[in-house]
Amino acid sequence: MARSKREWTEEYVELVVGQLLRSGVIIASIIVFLGGILYLIRYGADYPQYRIFSGEPSDLRNVHKIIIDVFLRRSRDIIQFGLLLLMMTPVARVVFLLVAFAKQRDRTYVVISVIVLTILLFSLVGRYLYN
Amino acid sequence: MSVLEFTSLVWAGSFFAGLLGALTGLGGGVVVVPLLTLVFGVDIRYAIGASLVSVIATSSGAASAYVEEGYTNIRIGIFLEIATTLGAVFGAFLAIRMHTSLLAIIFGIVLIHSAYLSLRRRRDRSGDDRIDAMAARLRLDGSFPEPQGRRSYHVHAVPAGFGLMFSAGTISGLLGIGSGAVKVLAMDHFMRIPFKVSTTTSNFMIGVTASASVGIYLSRGYVDPGLAMPVMLGVLTGALLGARILVTAKTRLLRLIFSMVIFLLAVEMIYNGLTGRI
């Protein structure tokens, strides 16, 4: 499967980026949809409470807790896990471009990709650093 | 109203927001936030969280096709993403410290400006064959497919474009919208990139920009699964349908009607902000 430098053409990179984005959105949507059905079965008859902002409980804020709770099959966590996959889709796209630029020996764009990735990761896990 | 009814209505409203957003090119986020706050009485912070999630879904979905067709300039995209993601993180930090009334007022002003930008006739300023030293060094110049074959273009005013992209990112992170109008303005007007390339590259960047701020919102508890679920699925399906009928529909009149709706929503947001209702 290893591709030589010549095979990492612009067309190949464009194709993979397109497929990556599409599959990320489709998989995330399916998970959110399934979680949504479970959620409506469980909470459908309750009353929504969005007028007053209280913030989500900590198990819906932290990446590792969302992932653990998916295995406990809690509907709200399944939705949140799907949303997390969706948020990671653009991040995965930047990671792939980083690899592609490295294979193309394009040093400037490797650096640019690393900068963007650092900012994205700071946003997703930065909470642990600044709080 | 039960959760089931609420979810169904939010889904339907988001569907129309996504449809209109795709037909006019303004994106679904600019309608979703006023819809949730003004019509459904949702706190603006939950609305922004849900809107950002839907922005990632629609932009990634649309970008996938444009990238494969070879319109998107990946190098321009990722280079300018440094500015938009920095701006987005900055915007999110501002938002979590700002009073919600002020947030609503700023949202209204940005809405009016976006509507104005979308109504203004875009001028294609590409076709300047001089080579810009910085653009050449960053290898930003490119080409895109046209019926007669690939057309190449040169990129200009890189620092000005980069600076405006930081503002676009800040607006996106602050208000939970894609801010495609500002991104396109930077690329059309300053960097002199052809329409097809600026529109598709803007779309390409919106997902990454939204991802940069949504992490901060997630960790602050602004992303509610029960609300984000119908918003994301609704906007996404609406945008998909919008992209299908875009080919045949007359968009000029639609754009005008949509801009009027946006203007009214904007006035209402500002009014509610000033009177402290949001």
Side-chain angles (χ1 to χ4, degrees), chain B residues 171-199:
Chain B
I171 294 169
S172 171
L174 183 67
L175 307 175
I177 60 178
S179 75
V182 182
K183 289 190 176 78
V184 165
L185 175 76
M187 288 193 274
D188 279 358
H189 191 78
F190 291 96
M191 303 178 78
R192 304 194 176 193
I193 299 167
F195 284 171
K196 282 215 161 144
V197 180
S198 62
T199 311

